[in-house]
């Protein structure tokens, strides 16, 4: 059985459908949602299958969405139509067993049984072993500049079914619809498609093999790669030679502002950094700032919502954030984040109460004496100022918020960290 027949096998398609529905995601340019997919396939799958097997299938252009980057500027995500996501997922499930077993053990991005925490732990181990200079390789707009011909030649070494190769190239060359304008694609693989992570690993596997051949210790997560050496001179040599290799062999340019050689505590890898003594992994300040920006949006959206709904949204984000940074041995950052979240919730409640009479009544109901409630409520200061004062803190305590169901980040981190 050839590979394309395996792609359209019933069991493979059922698994692909389950995965696409579980991942949810926004609709593409045709407006079809994940919930509409089953009905669409029931009606159109025989024709779609025939087109796939006979090399007639044409993917729709992806929908371009601009996402702000933490470092400034925007990243453009390419969101395929749901039906195309389903087909790409089916291809991914067939191709992963062909390629993944041959990938480097130091490649951690989007692979079965691998995760970012493993990459961070491996880098930390190299540093503690004495490889305490980091060569940070940051590719410039990697996903936008993947060379299609180089990628297809790598795919053709393992995939002998020419129909499947043609189909993958069709997905790569599908245009991008952005602000009503169709842009043709001659390079790049859109972030947001199920196939892109595997294709990026296939493309960068040659870099991994080159570093292994040279004896360089490294950790790579998709296009985020750190190499670990014992001196700055060695790091400068590795950076120069790998820059040349990437440009000549893979047509990839490094971002010169972000790439460089430095001590590990001056660099961030997957949101983590480490203390100057190399004794602890910690959450990078930029990661804390990004988390606060994300939470601010939840609080802004929650101004007209009940407190229980807001706390549920905060908990959902915070639980995932703590789990991601569970290896960071830095309890102070969770204490600070807990205090900041509680202050934001006090700010939100003060805004929701609006009128002085309502605020006085609420404070009294929470246990504050009437005279103090009236005195402080009459202060003509903003909600953020009031959220830090004793008349609010003394009644809207950490214990009160926990009774409302608010997750304690420090307690959750201790539970996860001690279970490692």
């Amino acid at each position: 059985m050839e590979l394309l027949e395996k792609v359209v096998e019933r069991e493979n398609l059922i698994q692909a459908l389950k995965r696409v529905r579980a991942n949810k995601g926004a609709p593409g340019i045709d407006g079809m949602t994940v919930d509409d997919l089953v009905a669409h396939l029931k009606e159109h799958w025989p024709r779609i299958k025939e087109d796939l097997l006979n090399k007639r299938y044409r993917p729709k252009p992806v929908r371009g969405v601009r996402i702000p980057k933490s470092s400034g500027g925007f990243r453009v995500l390419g969101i395929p139509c749901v039906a195309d996501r389903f087909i790409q997922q089916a291809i991914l499930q067939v191709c992963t067993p062909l390629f993944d077993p041959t990938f480097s053990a130091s490649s951690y991005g989007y692979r079965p049984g691998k995760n970012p925490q493993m990459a961070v732990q491996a880098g930390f181990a190299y540093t503690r072993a004495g490889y305490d200079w980091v060569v940070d390789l940051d590719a410039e707009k990697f996903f936008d500049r993947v060379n299609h011909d180089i990628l297809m030649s790598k795919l053709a070494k393992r995939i002998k079914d020419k129909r499947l190769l043609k189909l993958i190239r069709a997905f790569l060359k599908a245009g991008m619809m952005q602000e009503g304008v169709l842009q043709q694609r001659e390079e790049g693989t859109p972030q947001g498609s199920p196939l892109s992570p595997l294709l990026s690993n296939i493309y960068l596997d040659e870099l991994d093999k080159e570093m292994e051949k040279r004896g360089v210790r490294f950790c790579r997560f998709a296009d985020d790669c750190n190499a670990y050496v014992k001196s700055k001179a060695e790091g400068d040599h590795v950076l120069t030679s790998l820059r040349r290799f990437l440009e000549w062999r893979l047509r990839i340019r490094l971002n010169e502002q972000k790439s460089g050689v430095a001590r590990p505590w001056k660099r961030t890898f997957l949101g983590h950094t480490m203390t100057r003594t190399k004794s602890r992994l910690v959450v990078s300040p930029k990661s804390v700032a990004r988390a606060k920006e994300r939470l601010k949006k939840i609080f802004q959206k929650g101004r007209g919502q009940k407190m229980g709904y807001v706390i549920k949204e905060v908990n959902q984000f915070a639980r995932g954030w703590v789990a991601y940074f569970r290896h960071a041995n830095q309890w102070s950052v969770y204490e600070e984040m807990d205090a900041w979240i509680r202050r934001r919730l006090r700010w939100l409640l003060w805004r929701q109460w609006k009128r002085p009479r309502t605020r006085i009544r609420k404070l009294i109901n929470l246990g504050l004496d009437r005279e103090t409630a009236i005195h402080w409520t009459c202060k003509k200061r903003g909600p953020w100022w009031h959220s830090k004062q004793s008349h609010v803190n003394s009644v809207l305590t950490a214990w009160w918020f926990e009774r409302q169901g608010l997750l304690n980040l420090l307690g959750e981190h201790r539970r996860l960290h001690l279970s490692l």
Side-chain angles (χ1 to χ4, degrees):
M1 182 185 295
E2 294 200 63
L3 285 180
L4 193 53
E5 275 73 18
K6 290 184 178 180
V7 169
V8 298
E9 265 191 329
R10 178 178 174 80
E11 287 303 315
N12 187 54
L13 296 173
I14 290 173
Q15 291 302 316
L17 181 60
K18 287 180 180 177
R19 181 58 62 88
V20 170
R21 294 179 73 181
N23 290 342
K24 299 181 181 179
I29 62 168
D30 60 358
M32 184 190 300
T33 67
V34 172
D35 294 332
D36 300 329
L37 180 58
V38 173
H40 175 79
L41 293 175
K42 283 181 179 178
E43 183 177 354
H44 298 288
W45 178 248
R47 176 185 57 78
I48 295 172
K49 180 179 178 180
E50 185 179 345
D51 287 346
L52 287 168
L53 293 174
N54 290 286
K55 300 188 290 187
R56 292 196 301 264
Y57 188 82
R58 296 292 178 268
K60 291 183 173 66
V62 298
R63 180 167 67 90
V65 178
R66 282 159 47 104
I67 305 294
K69 295 171 67 174
S70 58
S71 57
F74 292 87
R75 173 185 293 109
V76 179
L77 293 185
I79 302 176
C81 296
V82 174
D84 287 339
R85 287 212 296 270
F86 166 68
I87 295 168
Q88 286 195 41
Q89 180 63 38
I91 295 172
L92 175 68
Q93 291 167 184
V94 169
C95 289
T96 296
L98 285 178
F99 290 94
D100 190 80
T102 66
F103 289 155
S104 168
S106 297
S107 169
Y108 296 88
Y110 309 108
R111 296 182 58 194
K114 301 271 191 175
N115 59 47
Q117 289 76 24
M118 291 180 179
V120 171
Q121 285 286 91
F124 184 48
Y126 287 140
T127 302
R128 297 193 72 179
Y131 297 87
D132 52 2
W133 285 89
V134 176
V135 183
D136 193 342
L137 303 171
D138 193 296
E140 188 174 55
K141 296 182 179 179
F142 168 73
F143 284 94
D144 294 333
R145 293 179 178 170
V146 168
N147 184 283
H148 289 177
D149 292 334
I150 294 175
L151 176 58
M152 292 308 302
S153 70
K154 294 178 182 300
L155 289 169
K157 291 177 181 178
R158 301 276 175 81
I159 299 174
K160 302 306 178 184
D161 189 333
K162 293 184 178 180
R163 297 169 302 166
L164 182 54
L165 289 171
K166 183 177 180 180
L167 179 60
I168 294 173
R169 185 179 276 275
F171 278 118
L172 289 171
K173 296 184 74 67
M176 177 178 288
M177 186 72 74
Q178 196 171 4
E179 298 178 353
V181 178
L182 179 60
Q183 303 169 356
Q184 298 300 324
R185 295 180 67 88
E186 298 301 327
E187 61 180 3
T189 173
Q191 289 180 269
S193 71
L195 267 177
S196 285
L198 175 63
L199 297 180
S200 70
N201 279 332
I202 292 170
Y203 198 84
L204 291 172
D205 186 57
E206 188 174 353
L207 171 64
D208 298 344
K209 297 298 192 290
E210 180 68 17
M211 287 192 283
E212 288 178 340
K213 186 172 70 175
R214 299 181 185 189
V216 176
R217 290 154 179 81
F218 71 98
C219 300
R220 183 176 66 78
F221 190 94
D223 61 328
D224 199 343
C225 183
N226 277 2
Y228 299 86
V229 295
K230 288 191 172 183
S231 69
K232 187 176 188 305
E234 184 183 358
D236 289 337
H237 173 72
V238 168
L239 178 60
T240 301
S241 61
L242 288 180
R243 180 191 291 114
R244 189 182 305 118
F245 175 84
L246 287 166
E247 289 179 356
W248 282 94
R249 294 295 295 271
L250 298 177
R251 313 275 180 89
I252 293 173
R253 284 189 172 185
L254 291 181
N255 185 321
E256 297 300 335
Q257 291 183 334
K258 295 182 179 180
S259 300
V261 182
R263 292 292 196 178
W265 51 87
K266 293 185 178 180
R267 288 284 170 170
T268 297
F269 184 47
L270 300 176
H272 296 73
T273 186
M274 63 182 65
T275 57
R276 196 179 189 91
T277 59
K278 300 180 289 184
S279 61
R280 289 186 298 137
L281 272 174
V282 294
V283 183
S284 74
K286 286 185 178 180
S287 297
V288 174
R290 281 197 295 268
K292 287 183 176 180
E293 287 301 315
R294 177 74 177 274
L295 286 165
K296 281 180 184 178
K297 293 179 181 178
I298 295 174
F299 295 128
Q300 289 289 345
K301 187 177 69 172
R303 284 188 290 180
Q305 303 286 347
K306 292 182 178 179
M307 183 55 54
Y309 173 82
V310 178
I311 286 176
K312 181 180 177 182
E313 291 281 300
V314 170
N315 285 351
Q316 186 175 350
F317 171 79
R319 190 170 281 112
W321 191 78
V322 174
Y324 182 85
F325 290 105
R326 61 186 177 272
H327 289 281
N329 188 10
Q330 184 190 17
W331 290 8
S332 61
V333 75
Y334 300 101
E335 286 182 314
E336 189 272 336
M337 186 69 85
D338 275 326
W340 183 86
I341 289 173
R342 288 194 296 269
R343 186 177 178 188
R344 277 283 164 184
L345 289 171
R346 293 180 188 116
W347 165 86
L348 182 60
L349 283 169
W350 196 259
R351 287 187 63 98
Q352 289 180 345
W353 293 343
K354 292 183 180 178
R355 297 178 181 177
R357 186 174 298 176
T358 303
R359 290 168 175 169
I360 292 169
R361 177 170 53 83
K362 291 286 188 180
L363 290 173
I364 292 172
N365 289 342
L366 287 166
L368 195 66
D369 67 90
R370 182 179 180 83
E371 183 179 344
T372 305
I374 293 172
H375 171 77
W376 284 104
T377 300
C378 290
K379 297 282 186 181
K380 294 183 178 180
R381 306 297 289 267
W384 189 241
W385 182 85
H386 280 282
S387 68
K388 195 177 182 181
Q389 304 309 311
S390 60
H391 62 286
V392 174
N393 285 0
S394 64
V395 291
L396 297 176
T397 62
W399 178 75
W400 186 86
F401 281 115
E402 285 188 27
R403 284 180 61 200
Q404 311 309 307
L406 181 65
L407 179 73
N408 182 279
L409 272 68
L410 178 59
E412 180 72 2
H413 171 69
R414 280 174 171 163
R415 184 184 68 81
L416 292 174
H417 191 75
L418 294 174
S419 67
L420 293 173

